[in-house]
Amino acid sequence: MGGTTYDPRARRVQEAPVTATVPTTTASPRLGVRTLPGVYAPQHDTHLLLRALARETVRPGSEVIDLGTGSGLLAVAAARRGAHVTAVDVGRRAVLTARLNALLARQRVTVHRGDLADPVPGQTYDLVLSNPPYVPSPLGPPPRRGSARAWDAGHDGRAVVDRICDAAPYLLRRKGVLLMVHSDLTGTEATLRRLSRGGLRAEVSDTASVPFGPVLLSRLPWLRGRGLLGEHADEENLVVIRAEQP
């Protein structure tokens, strides 16, 4: 599907459709981003990945892709450092939100609607970013529509994580880096093993313990029944996985 590049130097932008949506958004003043209804707003996992991004060397002209961009916050952050950034999301509202936030930040980001890297076949990158859906769900396969598509990822939470692990060796250039965040409930060791089997050097580069959100709180009995949580656990452990192409 087609992408749109927002260049702050260009005068021809779709002003009316974008400004018409602004009053219906929610805003995060400290981060300077807006999210349309139904789009995943930046939360603890986004902040953790943003912190990991800040530690990476991003040179002007580096090629970066943000898979499952949501609000576009990570894509914009990379663009601020001079990278050539591509952002992809399967949701129409997420694509519009990412385009809006790139426009508001006066950063150039090419935004595509599509499934992971499908819209850019054959392209390789210096840095791949992803905050994918990773929450284990009792409902079975991931939903095909609706806001839950941003977090529900099958019974083991790995429906999208595994696909990113398998795609990463083909997306990364030599010395290229993948930064991906997910919950330890998803299986940190499973992610490291899968990336290593693909020939990447993989490690946990950052962690954070955060309070359970509404989705996990509603699933505590199910998660404990599956042995994914201890009886007295009251926090979720987030991890940033860093994998490098030798």
Side-chain angles (χ1 to χ4, degrees):
M1 299 185 183
T4 299
T5 300
Y6 280 104
D7 186 342
R9 296 167 296 181
R11 298 185 61 85
R12 187 173 61 84
V13 295
Q14 296 178 350
E15 293 287 356
V18 171
T19 55
T21 63
V22 171
T24 66
T25 64
T26 58
S28 177
R30 186 170 69 85
L31 297 173
V33 298
R34 299 173 182 269
T35 53
L36 297 176
V39 176
Y40 187 78
Q43 297 185 42
H44 295 290
D45 47 8
T46 320
H47 292 278
L48 190 63
L49 195 54
L50 194 63
R51 188 166 76 185
L53 171 61
R55 292 194 298 269
E56 293 295 323
T57 299
V58 180
R59 295 182 175 87
S62 296
E63 295 289 343
V64 177
I65 188 168
D66 182 16
L67 301 176
T69 192
S71 69
L73 173 63
L74 294 162
V76 168
R80 289 187 189 276
R81 297 172 65 182
H84 296 159
V85 182
T86 300
V88 183
D89 203 287
V90 72
R92 289 184 176 86
R93 290 188 179 191
V95 168
L96 181 57
T97 296
R99 290 172 177 170
L100 170 62
N101 284 316
L103 179 63
L104 293 175
R106 299 183 62 80
Q107 297 298 317
R108 181 172 180 163
V109 176
T110 301
V111 187
H112 295 276
R113 180 170 177 256
D115 182 31
L116 298 183
D118 284 357
V120 286
Q123 297 298 309
T124 58
Y125 300 90
D126 301 295
L127 180 63
V128 176
L129 303 169
S130 189
N131 182 2
Y134 56 74
V135 177
S137 170
L139 303 178
R144 298 180 62 87
R145 59 182 60 85
S147 58
R149 185 166 53 178
W151 57 80
D152 278 353
H155 284 308
D156 58 4
R158 301 193 59 86
V160 182
V161 168
D162 281 345
R163 294 179 60 211
I164 293 172
C165 290
D166 293 344
Y170 304 98
L171 291 173
L172 291 174
R173 298 173 176 175
R174 185 174 179 273
K175 301 299 183 183
V177 170
L178 164 72
L179 292 177
M180 176 170 60
V181 64
H182 64 61
S183 172
D184 193 44
L185 295 173
T186 309
T188 301
E189 291 302 319
T191 299
L192 295 174
R193 285 194 302 269
R194 199 169 187 113
L195 289 166
S196 296
R197 285 200 300 267
L200 304 182
R201 291 194 293 260
E203 63 180 356
V204 174
S205 69
D206 209 347
T207 63
S209 295
V210 302
F212 291 136
V215 174
L216 285 183
L217 285 172
S218 71
R219 296 178 183 175
L220 288 182
W222 179 78
L223 292 167
R224 286 171 176 153
R226 295 196 67 208
L228 296 175
L229 276 177
E231 188 63 32
H232 302 293
D234 58 1
E235 289 184 319
E236 177 187 15
N237 295 318
L238 300 176
V239 297
V240 174
I241 303 294
R242 184 184 190 274
E244 184 174 345
Q245 184 78 274

